[in-house]
mmCIF file of all heavy atoms in Angstrom:
data_model
loop_
_atom_site.group_PDB
_atom_site.id
_atom_site.type_symbol
_atom_site.label_atom_id
_atom_site.label_comp_id
_atom_site.label_asym_id
_atom_site.label_seq_id
_atom_site.Cartn_x
_atom_site.Cartn_y
_atom_site.Cartn_z
ATOM 1 N N THR B 42 110.301 95.948 75.214
ATOM 2 C CA THR B 42 109.298 95.020 75.751
ATOM 3 C C THR B 42 109.996 93.774 76.254
ATOM 4 O O THR B 42 110.722 93.112 75.509
ATOM 5 C CB THR B 42 108.270 94.621 74.677
ATOM 6 O OG1 THR B 42 107.567 95.795 74.254
ATOM 7 C CG2 THR B 42 107.270 93.611 75.237
ATOM 8 N N LEU B 43 109.772 93.464 77.525
ATOM 9 C CA LEU B 43 110.359 92.289 78.148
ATOM 10 C C LEU B 43 109.244 91.275 78.396
ATOM 11 O O LEU B 43 108.136 91.646 78.794
ATOM 12 C CB LEU B 43 111.010 92.664 79.492
ATOM 13 C CG LEU B 43 112.409 93.247 79.474
ATOM 14 C CD1 LEU B 43 112.531 94.433 78.540
ATOM 15 C CD2 LEU B 43 112.823 93.638 80.881
ATOM 16 N N TYR B 46 107.523 84.165 81.130
ATOM 17 C CA TYR B 46 106.632 83.004 81.109
ATOM 18 C C TYR B 46 106.760 82.300 82.462
ATOM 19 O O TYR B 46 107.788 81.692 82.744
ATOM 20 C CB TYR B 46 106.998 82.074 79.949
ATOM 21 C CG TYR B 46 106.814 82.733 78.604
ATOM 22 C CD1 TYR B 46 107.806 83.531 78.065
ATOM 23 C CD2 TYR B 46 105.623 82.584 77.899
ATOM 24 C CE1 TYR B 46 107.626 84.171 76.842
ATOM 25 C CE2 TYR B 46 105.438 83.207 76.669
ATOM 26 C CZ TYR B 46 106.446 84.005 76.164
ATOM 27 O OH TYR B 46 106.261 84.639 74.951
ATOM 28 N N ARG B 50 100.802 76.831 86.575
ATOM 29 C CA ARG B 50 99.960 76.762 87.777
ATOM 30 C C ARG B 50 100.380 77.744 88.874
ATOM 31 O O ARG B 50 99.758 77.758 89.933
ATOM 32 C CB ARG B 50 99.887 75.333 88.336
ATOM 33 C CG ARG B 50 99.143 74.388 87.408
ATOM 34 C CD ARG B 50 99.017 73.001 88.022
ATOM 35 N NE ARG B 50 100.295 72.349 88.180
ATOM 36 C CZ ARG B 50 100.954 71.747 87.186
ATOM 37 N NH1 ARG B 50 100.447 71.761 85.975
ATOM 38 N NH2 ARG B 50 102.103 71.150 87.426
ATOM 39 N N ASP B 52 100.093 81.305 90.233
ATOM 40 C CA ASP B 52 99.038 82.265 89.950
ATOM 41 C C ASP B 52 99.480 83.725 90.094
ATOM 42 O O ASP B 52 98.692 84.627 89.830
ATOM 43 C CB ASP B 52 97.830 82.019 90.873
ATOM 44 C CG ASP B 52 98.214 82.005 92.349
ATOM 45 O OD1 ASP B 52 99.300 82.518 92.698
ATOM 46 O OD2 ASP B 52 97.425 81.476 93.154
ATOM 47 N N TRP B 56 107.411 91.546 88.911
ATOM 48 C CA TRP B 56 108.526 92.146 88.178
ATOM 49 C C TRP B 56 109.397 92.941 89.158
ATOM 50 O O TRP B 56 108.884 93.717 89.981
ATOM 51 C CB TRP B 56 108.044 93.080 87.074
ATOM 52 C CG TRP B 56 107.497 92.383 85.868
ATOM 53 C CD1 TRP B 56 106.188 92.107 85.589
ATOM 54 C CD2 TRP B 56 108.256 91.889 84.757
ATOM 55 N NE1 TRP B 56 106.077 91.469 84.381
ATOM 56 C CE2 TRP B 56 107.335 91.326 83.843
ATOM 57 C CE3 TRP B 56 109.615 91.872 84.431
ATOM 58 C CZ2 TRP B 56 107.726 90.752 82.637
ATOM 59 C CZ3 TRP B 56 110.006 91.299 83.234
ATOM 60 C CH2 TRP B 56 109.061 90.749 82.344
ATOM 61 N N GLN B 59 116.718 95.513 89.170
ATOM 62 C CA GLN B 59 117.935 95.516 89.982
ATOM 63 C C GLN B 59 119.001 96.352 89.295
ATOM 64 O O GLN B 59 119.559 95.952 88.266
ATOM 65 C CB GLN B 59 118.438 94.094 90.200
ATOM 66 C CG GLN B 59 119.630 94.020 91.148
ATOM 67 C CD GLN B 59 120.136 92.602 91.353
ATOM 68 O OE1 GLN B 59 119.945 91.738 90.510
ATOM 69 N NE2 GLN B 59 120.767 92.356 92.493
ATOM 70 N N LYS B 74 95.985 87.316 86.377
ATOM 71 C CA LYS B 74 95.900 88.230 85.234
ATOM 72 C C LYS B 74 95.421 89.635 85.581
ATOM 73 O O LYS B 74 95.280 90.479 84.698
ATOM 74 C CB LYS B 74 95.017 87.627 84.128
ATOM 75 C CG LYS B 74 95.611 86.381 83.501
ATOM 76 C CD LYS B 74 94.611 85.612 82.688
ATOM 77 C CE LYS B 74 93.693 84.794 83.580
ATOM 78 N NZ LYS B 74 92.747 83.960 82.818
ATOM 79 N N GLY B 80 104.678 98.893 92.740
ATOM 80 C CA GLY B 80 105.749 99.464 93.545
ATOM 81 C C GLY B 80 106.280 100.717 92.911
ATOM 82 O O GLY B 80 105.537 101.547 92.411
ATOM 83 N N ASP B 84 105.915 105.946 85.480
ATOM 84 C CA ASP B 84 104.725 106.045 84.623
ATOM 85 C C ASP B 84 105.040 105.651 83.180
ATOM 86 O O ASP B 84 104.141 105.285 82.423
ATOM 87 C CB ASP B 84 104.162 107.471 84.651
ATOM 88 C CG ASP B 84 103.574 107.812 86.004
ATOM 89 O OD1 ASP B 84 103.246 106.876 86.762
ATOM 90 O OD2 ASP B 84 103.437 109.016 86.305
ATOM 91 N N SER B 92 96.133 85.972 78.797
ATOM 92 C CA SER B 92 95.289 84.821 79.117
ATOM 93 C C SER B 92 96.095 83.543 79.315
ATOM 94 O O SER B 92 95.666 82.645 80.042
ATOM 95 C CB SER B 92 94.234 84.608 78.022
ATOM 96 O OG SER B 92 94.869 84.422 76.772
ATOM 97 N N GLU B 97 104.172 90.769 80.169
ATOM 98 C CA GLU B 97 105.084 91.646 79.429
ATOM 99 C C GLU B 97 105.237 92.962 80.164
ATOM 100 O O GLU B 97 104.256 93.522 80.665
ATOM 101 C CB GLU B 97 104.576 91.879 77.997
ATOM 102 C CG GLU B 97 104.561 90.623 77.157
ATOM 103 C CD GLU B 97 104.145 90.859 75.714
ATOM 104 O OE1 GLU B 97 103.901 92.026 75.331
ATOM 105 O OE2 GLU B 97 104.064 89.862 74.967
ATOM 106 N N ASN B 99 106.437 96.698 79.461
ATOM 107 C CA ASN B 99 106.700 97.649 78.392
ATOM 108 C C ASN B 99 107.302 98.918 78.964
ATOM 109 O O ASN B 99 106.770 99.486 79.918
ATOM 110 C CB ASN B 99 105.401 97.984 77.658
ATOM 111 C CG ASN B 99 104.809 96.767 76.991
ATOM 112 O OD1 ASN B 99 105.355 96.243 76.034
ATOM 113 N ND2 ASN B 99 103.697 96.285 77.516
ATOM 114 N N SER B 101 108.770 102.680 77.874
ATOM 115 C CA SER B 101 108.852 103.663 76.794
ATOM 116 C C SER B 101 109.738 104.834 77.230
ATOM 117 O O SER B 101 110.068 104.992 78.410
ATOM 118 C CB SER B 101 107.453 104.169 76.432
ATOM 119 O OG SER B 101 106.851 104.792 77.550
ATOM 120 N N SER B 102 110.111 105.631 76.234
ATOM 121 C CA SER B 102 110.964 106.810 76.480
ATOM 122 C C SER B 102 112.132 106.446 77.382
ATOM 123 O O SER B 102 112.379 107.079 78.411
ATOM 124 C CB SER B 102 110.145 107.949 77.114
ATOM 125 O OG SER B 102 109.060 108.293 76.308
ATOM 126 N N ALA B 114 109.387 86.929 88.408
ATOM 127 C CA ALA B 114 109.275 85.795 89.319
ATOM 128 C C ALA B 114 107.834 85.337 89.356
ATOM 129 O O ALA B 114 106.917 86.134 89.156
ATOM 130 C CB ALA B 114 109.736 86.174 90.721
ATOM 131 N N THR B 123 110.070 81.814 92.464
ATOM 132 C CA THR B 123 111.070 81.311 91.536
ATOM 133 C C THR B 123 111.344 82.419 90.540
ATOM 134 O O THR B 123 110.423 82.920 89.896
ATOM 135 C CB THR B 123 110.580 80.054 90.800
ATOM 136 O OG1 THR B 123 110.306 79.028 91.761
ATOM 137 C CG2 THR B 123 111.656 79.558 89.840
ATOM 138 N N ARG B 129 118.889 91.674 80.892
ATOM 139 C CA ARG B 129 119.788 92.803 81.140
ATOM 140 C C ARG B 129 119.546 93.855 80.076
ATOM 141 O O ARG B 129 119.814 93.637 78.890
ATOM 142 C CB ARG B 129 121.256 92.358 81.111
ATOM 143 C CG ARG B 129 122.217 93.507 81.450
ATOM 144 C CD ARG B 129 123.647 93.026 81.593
ATOM 145 N NE ARG B 129 123.837 92.151 82.737
ATOM 146 C CZ ARG B 129 123.948 92.574 84.000
ATOM 147 N NH1 ARG B 129 123.886 93.861 84.265
ATOM 148 N NH2 ARG B 129 124.144 91.709 84.957
ATOM 149 N N VAL B 132 120.726 100.815 78.168
ATOM 150 C CA VAL B 132 120.251 101.977 77.404
ATOM 151 C C VAL B 132 121.466 102.848 77.093
ATOM 152 O O VAL B 132 122.220 103.231 78.001
ATOM 153 C CB VAL B 132 119.200 102.775 78.179
ATOM 154 C CG1 VAL B 132 118.707 103.960 77.342
ATOM 155 C CG2 VAL B 132 118.044 101.882 78.572
ATOM 156 N N VAL B 133 121.656 103.122 75.810
ATOM 157 C CA VAL B 133 122.852 103.884 75.397
ATOM 158 C C VAL B 133 122.452 105.219 74.751
ATOM 159 O O VAL B 133 121.299 105.398 74.373
ATOM 160 C CB VAL B 133 123.720 103.059 74.428
ATOM 161 C CG1 VAL B 133 124.248 101.820 75.123
ATOM 162 C CG2 VAL B 133 122.930 102.704 73.178
#
Side-chain angles (χ1 to χ4, degrees):
Chain B
T42 298
L43 277 53
Y46 297 84
R50 293 183 294 281
D52 54 19
W56 285 96
Q59 185 180 25
K74 294 165 282 183
D84 292 339
S92 58
E97 295 184 2
N99 297 291
S101 61
S102 303
T123 300
R129 183 173 293 282
V132 181
V133 296

